[in-house]
Amino acid sequence: MPSPPQGILLDTELSEHSPPPQGAYERSYERYPAFEGLPFAPVAHTATERHERPPAHRLCGYGKVILLGEHAVVYGSHAIAAPIPLAMRASVQKADEHSGASLSITHDGVTHQIEPGATERDVPERTVQLILAQLGLAGHTLQIQVSSTVPRAMGLGSSAAFAVAVIRALDWHFRLGLDDAQVNVLAFRCEELAHGTPSGIDNTVATYGELVLYRRGEEARTTAQIQPLKISRPLPLVIGVSGRGSLTVETVAAVRKAWQREPVRYQTIFRQIDDLVLEGVQALHNEDLPRLGALMDTCHQHLQGLQVSSRELDEMVRIAHEHGALGAKLTGGGRGGSIIALCPANRERVASALRAAGYQALEMDLG
Ligand code: PMV
């Protein structure tokens, strides 16, 4: 692997990572007023809640986009990811009627109720059971309510955001005093349940809510390298949402199978992705958006090589280019889900063209 550019990166251990400043989430909310009232609106906080509750970022798990490096990051390459102003928020109440923890998840005004003892396939329920067991809270009679603005299975980190929100809500309810590193480690365990062999990047961004350069530990569950990346101007992006759901556990397993069949070819692609991620850090540092856009394009081609793109994702990438994006790529697990397009100019044009083609488009400044 090439070494990170000097002077920008420092390897930071999970436990040494400092949490975002208090109120960080409210600030980022104010930066995205355009999302108020839309289906994917960020979580709003009332004045009363602000006084009675801990800072909002202590109760939410962030969604994310991967700017560069998905899939290869599972095999030890670097990746860059940013939180998005879409989040999950959870609250916990003591319940009387039933034993165990019941769970309700509200998204787009629709509430899905999951009773204790749901089926094996029910990842949210199993995630909650894992969290309760790990925190020594199994057997408590609870009602856990989750409100979500992160679309599920769209490559935007919804499972990690869910885990972080539930952990933080239990932490607050039982006054456990967990720090962010503990939240992150437990959310990683939940990601193992949801994804099989996660890199840990989703839970990291869901926990810390910062733009980061990430590299997993050498072995599963060993300390990851997390480097917050500071940029002076946020990145003007469009997220194109295909509407076709895709399970990361399946795309990650498919890449693993293919890698086992053709290790040299896949390893070469992972290494090329690693190189371009590190170049991406330099481009971010230099505010060189044309270069960053070109790296996103190359990354998308590599992801096509890994067989994780799809007709819809390729079409959205093409539309973004045709309407003036500097670069575009799928983000997250792929085969469905979302793309990101870098649009310092023509952002509305790109978003409108995606909508006209039947996709959902979200305009966001990230980082
Ligand atoms: O699809 P998402 O949002 O869960 O992102 C998955 C990112 C991968 O690199 C494909 C998997 C991982 O664990 O890093």
Side-chain angles (χ1 to χ4, degrees):
M1 297 281 167
S3 10
Q6 291 299 312
I8 305 175
L9 310 175
L10 285 172
D11 291 349
T12 310
E13 294 213 338
L14 214 59
S15 55
E16 291 171 359
H17 190 95
S18 39
Q22 298 229 335
Y25 190 68
E26 280 96 338
R27 270 208 301 281
S28 57
Y29 173 60
E30 279 157 21
R31 269 167 50 194
Y32 304 105
F35 288 91
E36 205 162 4
L38 292 181
F40 291 164
V43 182
H45 311 289
T46 64
T48 334
E49 277 177 315
R50 281 209 180 111
H51 290 298
E52 290 173 355
R53 294 183 166 214
H57 79 268
R58 306 291 322 170
L59 289 174
C60 83
Y62 298 86
K64 65 97 198 47
V65 292
I66 296 184
L67 278 183
L68 293 169
E70 51 273 273
H71 284 290
V73 68
V74 174
Y75 298 82
S77 298
H78 293 84
I80 302 170
I84 54 177
L86 305 176
M88 297 240 188
R89 244 186 124 191
S91 63
V92 174
Q93 284 172 327
K94 202 171 158 14
D96 303 321
E97 314 90 69
H98 39 242
S99 59
S102 78
L103 173 66
S104 72
I105 305 174
T106 304
H107 182 75
D108 272 355
V110 179
T111 299
H112 179 52
Q113 182 75 30
I114 304 169
E115 293 307 328
T119 64
E120 267 291 283
R121 285 178 58 80
D122 210 323
V123 172
E125 159 71 5
R126 287 165 60 216
T127 300
V128 168
Q129 294 309 331
L130 174 71
I131 293 168
L132 290 171
Q134 293 277 319
L135 295 178
L137 300 171
H140 281 266
T141 300
L142 302 169
Q143 170 68 39
I144 301 173
Q145 286 174 311
V146 178
S147 64
S148 167
T149 57
V150 189
R152 201 175 157 267
M154 288 297 146
L156 301 176
S158 65
S159 60
F162 173 83
V164 168
V166 171
I167 297 165
R168 289 205 188 281
L170 288 164
D171 173 46
W172 172 249
H173 183 81
F174 289 98
R175 305 294 194 271
L176 301 174
L178 300 179
D179 61 24
D180 281 342
Q182 290 168 313
V183 171
N184 194 19
V185 167
L186 181 47
F188 177 76
R189 300 279 152 87
C190 299
E191 284 290 273
E192 287 182 315
L193 197 147
H195 288 184
T197 53
S199 64
I201 192 166
D202 283 16
N203 49 278
T204 298
V205 180
T207 303
Y208 294 108
E210 286 187 277
L211 176 68
V212 291
L213 176 70
Y214 180 88
R215 191 180 187 191
R216 55 166 288 177
E218 290 294 323
E219 304 291 331
R221 296 189 175 181
T222 53
T223 308
Q225 298 170 6
I226 305 166
Q227 174 61 43
L229 298 173
K230 302 289 171 217
I231 50 175
S232 39
R233 247 174 295 171
L235 293 174
L237 292 185
V238 174
I239 301 180
V241 185
S242 71
R244 180 184 291 276
S246 158
L247 293 179
T248 306
V249 65
E250 289 170 8
T251 56
V252 169
V255 171
R256 183 166 297 276
K257 244 192 198 156
W259 167 70
Q260 282 162 344
R261 266 199 317 269
E262 292 183 83
V264 176
R265 192 165 90 78
Y266 273 73
Q267 212 55 54
T268 305
I269 299 178
F270 297 149
R271 214 166 300 125
Q272 286 166 336
I273 292 177
D274 192 53
D275 285 350
L276 68 82
V277 172
L278 295 177
E279 244 199 89
V281 175
Q282 201 68 63
L284 280 171
H285 183 69
N286 298 339
E287 295 189 33
D288 186 348
L289 297 192
R291 183 70 200 135
L292 185 62
L295 292 167
M296 288 166 65
D297 289 341
T298 310
C299 189
H300 185 71
Q301 286 155 15
H302 287 315
L303 292 163
Q304 288 174 319
L306 296 178
Q307 314 287 324
V308 292
S309 195
S310 68
R311 186 188 60 74
E312 289 95 343
L313 296 174
D314 289 345
E315 182 178 63
M316 285 197 287
V317 164
R318 180 180 55 73
I319 292 171
H321 279 132
E322 282 172 4
H323 291 83
L326 285 184
K329 61 178 275 293
L330 73 84
T331 187
R335 292 211 173 155
S338 305
I339 65 138
I340 49 171
L342 184 62
C343 307
N346 306 313
R347 183 154 73 172
E348 271 180 47
R349 251 183 86 202
V350 169
S352 304
L354 287 169
R355 288 184 197 117
Y359 300 109
Q360 185 160 15
L362 308 169
E363 296 167 55
M364 296 182 174
D365 292 324
L366 299 187

